[in-house]
């Protein structure tokens, strides 16, 4: 549904050598408070963490957002305790610009909002 509505969503991330599915990476519209922001998102199987896949895939999607979609900012919406995702965001050059409460499975959870601006990349 997101593909049809927005033109982007999660896409399969595959290992270049084996072709095995390693996770999902893509762009999503994120509800940040009262605003909608273009976000980069990555979900990888734990066995594929710390191999650079999230960094490489997210960097490609951020480049696409800036250079093809023409957006000025890309965000990542990350829970404070998700240190692995936070490290990826920081390695991408993203910085915390705020936080908000998001309802996840019926629970209120604080999320940090990381962002990178096209003119700062």
């Amino acid at each position: 549904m997101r593909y049809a509505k927005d033109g982007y969503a999660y896409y399969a991330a595959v290992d270049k050598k084996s072709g095995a599915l390693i996770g999902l990476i893509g762009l999503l519209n994120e509800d940040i408070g009262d605003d909608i922001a273009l976000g980069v998102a990555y979900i990888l199987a734990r066995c594929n963490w710390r191999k650079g896949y999230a960094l490489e895939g997210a960097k490609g999607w951020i480049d696409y957002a800036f250079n093809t979609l023409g957006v000025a900012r890309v965000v990542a919406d990350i829970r404070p305790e998700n240190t692995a995702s936070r490290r990826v965001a920081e390695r991408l050059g993203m910085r915390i610009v705020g936080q908000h409460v998001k309802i996840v499975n019926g629970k209120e959870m604080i999320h940090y909002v990381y962002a990178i601006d096209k003119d700062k990349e």
Side-chain angles (χ1 to χ4, degrees), residues 73 75 95-99 112-117:
R73 172 176 270 195
V75 302
R95 298 290 172 248
I96 295 174
V97 297
Q99 67 181 34
Y112 290 151
V113 179
Y114 281 79
I116 186 169
D117 296 318

Side-chain angles (χ1 to χ4, degrees), residues 2 8 31 37 43 46 57-60 71 73-74 77 81-82 86 95 106 108-111 114 121:
R2 286 182 176 164
Y8 45 79
D31 291 319
I43 300 173
R46 187 176 290 270
K59 182 174 181 349
V71 301
R73 172 176 270 195
V74 176
D77 187 30
E81 65 273 13
N82 189 341
R86 291 180 60 193
R95 298 290 172 248
E108 290 186 354
M109 295 186 172
I110 292 175
H111 282 66
Y114 281 79
E121 69 174 321

Side-chain angles (χ1 to χ4, degrees), residues 21-79:
L21 178 68
I22 58 171
L24 301 170
I25 305 174
L27 298 173
L28 303 172
N29 286 330
E30 298 282 5
D31 291 319
I32 308 291
D34 293 331
D35 296 320
I36 302 291
L38 184 60
V40 65
Y42 33 91
I43 300 173
L44 300 179
R46 187 176 290 270
C47 63
N48 293 309
W49 290 9
R50 304 186 70 99
K51 296 182 179 180
Y53 295 133
L55 183 67
E56 180 182 358
K59 182 174 181 349
W61 281 109
I62 290 170
D63 289 345
Y64 179 82
F66 288 154
N67 300 315
T68 302
L69 300 179
V71 301
R73 172 176 270 195
V74 176
V75 302
D77 187 30
I78 304 171
R79 292 196 340 236

Side-chain angles (χ1 to χ4, degrees), residues 86-106:
R86 291 180 60 193
R87 276 194 303 271
V88 170
E90 290 163 4
R91 290 187 65 205
L92 288 163
M94 301 179 104
R95 298 290 172 248
I96 295 174
V97 297
Q99 67 181 34
H100 71 112
V101 175
K102 187 174 185 176
I103 307 296
V104 179
N105 296 326

